[in-house]
Amino acid sequence: MVSAYPASLIRAGIPAILVLLLGGCGTTIDEAVVTPGALTERPATIRNEQLIGKWGVASYREEKDRKRVEAQARAQCRLPYIIAKGPSDGVMMHLADDAKLYELRIKGGSDGKTYLGPEAPPGEWQDREIISISEKEMIMRFVDPEVHGRYGTFIYVRCPG
Amino acid sequence: MTPRHSLLSRFNGLAVATRRGAGFFLAGLAVMALSGAAFGRQQAAPISMDIGDEPGRVATAEQIVEEGPFARQLVFFRSSEPAGTIVIHTNERFLYVVQGNNRALRYGIGVGREGFQWSGLVRVSRKAEWPDWTPPPEMIARQPYLPRFMAGGPGNPMGARALYLGSTVYRIHGTNQPETIGHAVSSGCFRLANGDVIDLFERIAVGAKVIIRHGASI
């Protein structure tokens, strides 16, 4: 397992600055983001097995685009994103802007939400929030508002086979 | 140094303005798929920025190049082409819109990096506002964390507008990286600051002639 913690420390101060800069830009960043360190961990209701597999991935920023982006995600199964089981108790995925694979863990937060990220309290800056998940589709977004502002909300559609 | 730090540190001093005065222009690199290109690739450009391929940064649509040679300006331009024709001089990093009477409106552009420059004669086949972005497979290979499709919007590397060039994979489009104007950074597309591409978009109709000259000089 590759540790992501140093990168986490480096990045910790960046989002606050970027949030200030973004304030006047009229972006559509969702305001519902957690304050890192504010949450305690609760047992997660989502299991690793629900994430493992091949997914078509697409992202959107505005709700009006969601349906068509969902169809686009399905079409992206020709170039799927593969989530594999990690060597410990996690799944192998990427963090934002980092081509290396890390073992990420599903974490239940005391705010009732479920997070996916490196070994750290739930809602940490590098985490994704798992907004919804079903057998065929899951929706996630990055907790870091700057990263979320750039990438938008991710739709993962499970690929056949 | 993280990719975003790297990008910030590479701002080359171009005067870039936003009407909101935010001065914030983190950006993404718009890269187009290249397979199937029907044009010859030619010699490398003298200037090349080594910028990591990141998806779109949030930026405003109002960004323009405000000063210097890459600012939008009316210039002397001897041409027999009809008004409304786009002439791109890749080596000079300029896009001209012919106005007639030996005049043209000139925009600063970013062009294809080494090995990704081309020349030809095409027409504008389509126009789009806030176009979607599909990173090419080779970009996904380098940056596997990218979504395979990103809906158009302020965070999209394609920027605010796109003019599609014939049946090629190339476009004239916006960018959230105005600091790359005047440099060879793309995979063959031509990029303008978002405010400038919006201006161009409004002047150019579908069907307009586009001449891409590589190695030409004024």
Side-chain angles (χ1 to χ4, degrees), chain A:
Chain A
M1 175 177 169
V2 181
S3 169
Y5 200 66
S8 163
L9 289 175
I10 291 167
R11 287 162 52 89
I14 297 170
I17 297 167
L18 290 171
V19 164
L20 289 174
L21 288 169
L22 284 166
C25 294
T27 62
T28 56
I29 294 173
D30 199 319
E31 299 295 332
V33 294
V34 299
T35 303
L39 302 177
T40 54
E41 187 158 348
R42 304 270 173 82
T45 56
I46 297 172
R47 295 171 289 105
N48 287 341
E49 290 70 27
Q50 292 176 266
L51 274 62
I52 291 168
K54 294 181 179 178
W55 302 86
V57 184
S59 74
Y60 66 97
R61 292 168 52 86
E62 295 184 27
E63 190 59 31
K64 67 178 176 57
D65 291 322
R66 178 171 164 170
K67 275 295 171 191
R68 72 183 185 90
V69 169
E70 190 175 350
Q72 283 291 338
R74 192 170 296 110
Q76 301 307 320
C77 279
R78 60 182 178 271
L79 196 60
Y81 186 80
I82 299 171
I83 302 177
K85 185 181 185 309
S88 300
D89 187 26
V91 294
M92 301 305 292
M93 289 183 70
H94 296 90
L95 300 173
D97 306 322
D98 190 339
K100 282 188 290 189
L101 276 171
Y102 296 94
E103 183 165 17
L104 307 183
R105 192 168 63 80
I106 298 170
K107 302 175 275 190
S110 53
D111 58 355
K113 297 176 180 175
T114 304
Y115 297 91
L116 177 66
E119 191 59 53
E124 192 266 347
W125 287 112
Q126 288 184 300
D127 282 1
R128 293 171 173 87
E129 178 193 343
I130 302 175
I131 297 170
S132 69
I133 187 165
S134 67
E135 188 180 338
K136 293 183 177 177
E137 182 180 286
M138 58 183 177
I139 297 177
M140 299 189 199
R141 68 177 177 187
F142 284 102
V143 167
D144 182 332
E146 187 271 329
V147 176
H148 173 59
R150 286 190 287 116
Y151 284 100
T153 301
F154 283 69
I155 297 182
Y156 295 75
V157 174
R158 191 177 288 281
C159 298

Side-chain angles (χ1 to χ4, degrees), chain B residues 102-114:
Chain B
N102 290 330
R103 299 276 179 185
L105 195 55
R106 190 179 78 184
Y107 301 75
I109 59 173
V111 302
R113 61 183 185 274
E114 180 178 343

